[in-house]
Amino acid sequence: MVKKFNLIILAIGLIIQLSYVDAQEKEKFKIIVHESNSITKLSRKKLSRIFLKKEGQWKNGEKITAVDLVENSEIREAFSREIHGKNVSSIKAYWQKQIFTGRDVPLPEKLTEEEVIRYVQENDGAIGYVASATPIEKYHVKVLGLED
Amino acid sequence: MNSSNLKRLFLWLPFLLPSTMCFAQSSLSIHGYLTQAYAFSRHHQIFGIPENGTSDYRNMALQFRYDQNNKNIVVIQLSHKRVGLSPVMSMEEEIELDWAFYQRKFGESAAIKIGKIQLPWGIYSEIRDVGILLPFYQVPYGTYQDGNYVSEAVDGISFWYSFNRFSSWEYTIEAYAGQWTWVEWINTLNPMTNEGFTLTETAKIENAFGAQNWLYTPMDGLRLGFGVYHGNASGGIHFTKNGVLGETSLTVFNFSLDATFPGSFVRVETGKYFLHLRKISSSNLSAQIGKNLFSNFSVCGQYGFFKFLKIPSYIYNSPDEVTYFNESAVSLKYSMTNNTVLKLESHWTKSFLAEDKLLVDLSEAPSKSQYVIFSFSTSF
């Protein structure tokens, strides 16, 4: 009986721990698009497809140009786990497969969040992500909502 | 530039190019991979691996891709391959053209390729030499017969189409038509001198057509595949007019299950060959399972076979059914970075592929052989 109780406590503890980590990751980044983009929110699934180049056009027919942060970025790791449900290594493997089957090449990668913001500002169809705390008010970009 | 300088440049290029980033943003991108291995065998030499070991074992390629826009793409890939003391080395050029094709995309659900294109076949055919993506140095022999009776590219045309592109159940088909060649080798007796020698030839598969189908399920990472091709085989060792198999049409089927999840995978492929003229058929199986023990360390197991069924007895004095190749293997994989992998693997085989033994009688017991490969893979 005591063993069972301990197990239940342990399981509850784990769930609390996981949801805490999950909540932390959710707050780590925000999605940005050009301010002229009429979209206000996107589902995680659609976002994942966009960042894997499985969807390439906005509703108005404009080309989507998504941009990633470099692979050692913490924000990219959080984005990858939250949106793709995989770590950056798995996503890199996906791109290597796309490259060496001749199908596609990875998204452009930016070294800093400022470069991401500038890229999105300069391209009407662009989409990127930056840390939640990064100020974007002085740029012509807007934040997209995430839906499940 | 002479051949050795070209080879030297080719060998060093992956290390001289810092990263793909600077290229990926322009319309020209350059990518490449390298796998260098040291391998040794016990009992018999197999897959070019001698008992006293070899480091002349590597795969590398450079890919040049030009995206004129998001519709028109040209891809060229050059490769360099060394397979130790394998008989197929006599047919390998220092640098070969892997593929060179023009691709035209029609929206996001259709594309056509023309030129020398990768053979879309099963899970691994298109990436068979990309060490960083493979759980073992080689793709499973049971399904892919690496180094013998196999091609990686088709000279022809392919058409890819995706049904239900944006839904949970996606179905894709890549249909192709064209021709290709494959290498055959055999250790046999010279009837004039009664001495053994290795015969290596190239056979042609012409008027071929086929398709690779994939059904992607709503479970992310789980897909089911079905491939088929039909063509006419001629030339080489066995497919000459008077050869033991003769010029014949052949039909090949392959079924795949690929379940690749974060931290683990199961991949199973099974197929059949039918050589219509002699009514010979064969079946094959390869199964792999892998599990991440830590974030960058994984262990993989593999089992596979290639069997001839209904093989006429006049062919190497064969019984009705011959297990031509049977293998169990295990590998340890350590990912140093996202682009660098070390692998240590051991394979235990029973087969008629021993390269230091004559093949005169398929009714004899197959040769046992063990081989170990330690490899380093990188890509950029």
Side-chain angles (χ1 to χ4, degrees):
Chain A
M1 188 66 188
V2 174
K3 259 188 185 175
K4 242 185 192 174
F5 178 76
N6 284 346
L7 273 175
I8 290 167
I9 294 293
L10 191 68
I12 291 170
L14 263 174
I15 290 165
I16 292 168
Q17 185 78 14
L18 285 174
S19 41
Y20 175 69
V21 171
D22 197 37
Q24 268 195 328
E25 293 214 331
K26 274 180 193 168
E27 287 166 10
K28 265 191 171 170
F29 62 88
K30 57 191 172 195
I31 310 297
I32 54 168
V33 291
H34 192 272
E35 66 176 4
S36 66
N37 199 320
S38 59
I39 301 280
T40 55
K41 54 186 175 181
L42 278 176
S43 69
R44 285 181 169 74
K45 193 177 170 191
K46 195 167 176 75
L47 204 55
S48 173
R49 293 180 66 87
I50 286 172
F51 277 83
L52 295 176
K53 282 194 177 174
K54 289 180 177 175
E55 287 193 34
Q57 284 186 335
W58 294 111
K59 271 184 186 165
N60 63 4
E62 189 167 8
K63 188 184 166 194
I64 302 175
T65 48
V67 59
D68 253 326
L69 277 164
V70 285
E71 66 182 79
N72 57 4
S73 153
E74 274 182 32
I75 304 302
R76 179 162 175 183
E77 186 66 40
F79 174 84
S80 198
R81 286 185 185 276
E82 171 68 17
I83 301 301
H84 299 304
K86 293 170 182 164
N87 59 19
V88 174
S89 301
S90 302
I91 299 302
K92 289 296 275 188
Y94 167 83
W95 284 118
Q96 281 158 346
K97 199 169 171 187
Q98 293 297 103
I99 291 167
F100 295 116
T101 51
R103 290 206 176 93
D104 219 328
V105 285
L107 302 173
E109 290 179 349
K110 300 293 179 191
L111 197 59
T112 64
E113 291 177 66
E114 194 183 342
E115 284 179 52
V116 170
I117 299 169
R118 286 191 186 282
Y119 182 89
V120 173
Q121 180 178 249
E122 286 160 16
N123 295 279
D124 288 357
I127 182 167
Y129 54 88
V130 291
S132 301
T134 304
I136 56 166
E137 290 73 23
K138 63 175 180 174
Y139 299 97
H140 299 293
V141 300
K142 67 175 188 183
V143 177
L144 277 193
L146 266 180
E147 53 187 9
D148 286 321
Chain B
M1 192 180 284
N2 66 32
S3 157
S4 65
N5 282 343
L6 193 64
K7 185 183 161 191
R8 208 165 293 141
L9 173 69
F10 194 72
L11 285 167
W12 280 101
L13 207 50
F15 302 103
L16 297 175
L17 291 171
S19 89
T20 59
M21 282 179 56
C22 52
F23 298 104
Q25 290 163 47
S26 70
S27 51
L28 175 70
S29 53
I30 301 177
H31 299 276
Y33 61 79
L34 161 72
T35 299
Q36 172 64 52
Y38 172 77
F40 65 90
S41 64
R42 287 175 64 204
H43 309 305
H44 289 285
Q45 178 181 312
I46 188 168
F47 299 127
I49 303 170
E51 289 188 59
N52 58 358
T54 179
S55 55
D56 191 23
Y57 222 72
R58 80 184 67 89
N59 282 314
M60 59 190 305
L62 267 183
Q63 185 191 102
F64 303 88
R65 177 187 170 104
Y66 179 69
D67 290 72
Q68 189 202 15
N69 46 43
N70 57 352
K71 287 181 182 165
N72 298 300
I73 298 143
V74 175
V75 185
I76 294 173
Q77 185 165 299
L78 303 171
S79 69
H80 165 77
K81 185 175 179 124
R82 300 294 299 173
V83 199
L85 303 180
S86 169
V88 301
M89 282 308 301
S90 64
M91 312 297 272
E92 286 277 342
E93 300 288 337
E94 281 289 339
I95 293 171
E96 292 198 343
L97 179 67
D98 259 0
W99 9 287
F101 61 82
Y102 162 73
Q103 180 172 219
R104 167 88 186 179
K105 288 184 180 174
F106 302 95
E108 291 174 13
S109 302
I112 192 165
K113 285 181 194 170
I114 299 169
K116 190 177 175 77
I117 57 182
Q118 316 99 302
L119 182 67
W121 187 252
I123 296 169
Y124 289 122
S125 180
E126 294 161 288
I127 51 162
R128 64 171 62 223
D129 293 324
V130 190
I132 195 133
L133 295 175
L134 304 175
F136 292 87
Y137 183 89
Q138 292 158 313
V139 289
Y141 185 89
T143 301
Y144 299 94
Q145 295 89 50
D146 213 18
N148 218 350
Y149 305 107
V150 70
S151 176
E152 293 169 38
V154 186
D155 292 316
I157 186 165
S158 81
F159 177 70
W160 176 85
Y161 191 81
S162 167
F163 298 87
N164 257 1
R165 177 84 171 137
F166 304 113
S167 82
S168 307
W169 290 93
E170 184 187 355
Y171 168 66
T172 66
I173 180 168
E174 185 161 8
Y176 53 92
Q179 59 181 31
W180 62 85
T181 57
W182 67 32
V183 173
E184 298 175 87
W185 66 266
I186 188 169
N187 284 337
T188 190
L189 269 181
N190 183 336
M192 309 292 279
T193 61
N194 219 25
E195 285 176 357
F197 76 111
T198 302
L199 189 57
T200 311
E201 292 285 347
T202 303
K204 275 188 213 165
I205 310 299
E206 293 170 301
N207 302 320
F209 56 92
Q212 174 66 40
N213 305 267
W214 284 108
L215 177 67
Y216 294 85
T217 69
M219 188 185 287
D220 192 20
L222 176 65
R223 60 179 184 156
L224 303 167
F226 168 61
V228 58
Y229 73 74
H230 178 86
N232 298 319
S234 63
I237 300 167
H238 295 107
F239 301 99
T240 56
K241 267 187 182 161
N242 301 317
V244 287
L245 301 177
E247 290 184 0
T248 182
S249 61
L250 80 163
T251 308
V252 186
F253 297 95
N254 190 48
F255 298 90
S256 316
L257 181 149
D258 180 7
T260 304
F261 305 119
S264 62
F265 69 83
V266 176
R267 293 170 194 149
V268 182
E269 298 201 84
T270 183
K272 281 209 163 196
Y273 281 63
F274 296 96
L275 301 176
H276 300 294
L277 181 70
R278 303 289 189 208
K279 296 188 170 60
I280 296 171
S281 61
S282 74
S283 72
N284 59 66
L285 172 86
S286 52
Q288 294 180 325
I289 185 163
K291 173 83 187 135
N292 276 15
L293 299 180
F294 309 103
S295 64
N296 52 3
F297 185 77
S298 60
V299 60
C300 307
Q302 176 172 288
Y303 172 75
F305 65 75
F306 186 93
K307 270 182 191 172
F308 282 111
L309 313 164
K310 291 183 188 168
I311 183 165
S313 59
Y314 63 82
I315 299 175
Y316 306 118
N317 192 27
S318 58
D320 277 354
E321 187 177 309
V322 177
T323 302
Y324 189 71
F325 178 84
N326 184 300
E327 173 197 46
S328 304
V330 63
S331 84
L332 300 172
K333 185 174 168 182
Y334 174 64
S335 302
M336 296 162 72
T337 67
N338 288 334
N339 298 322
T340 314
V341 166
L342 291 176
K343 276 179 255 176
L344 177 64
E345 60 198 88
S346 183
H347 300 247
W348 294 267
T349 65
K350 279 185 196 171
S351 76
F352 291 93
L353 290 169
E355 291 161 355
D356 51 2
K357 209 178 161 192
L358 293 182
L359 175 59
V360 287
D361 195 339
L362 284 174
S363 65
E364 285 181 2
S367 305
K368 277 185 186 177
S369 196
Q370 182 193 357
Y371 63 97
V372 174
I373 304 178
F374 178 66
S375 62
F376 163 85
S377 301
T378 187
S379 73
F380 67 92

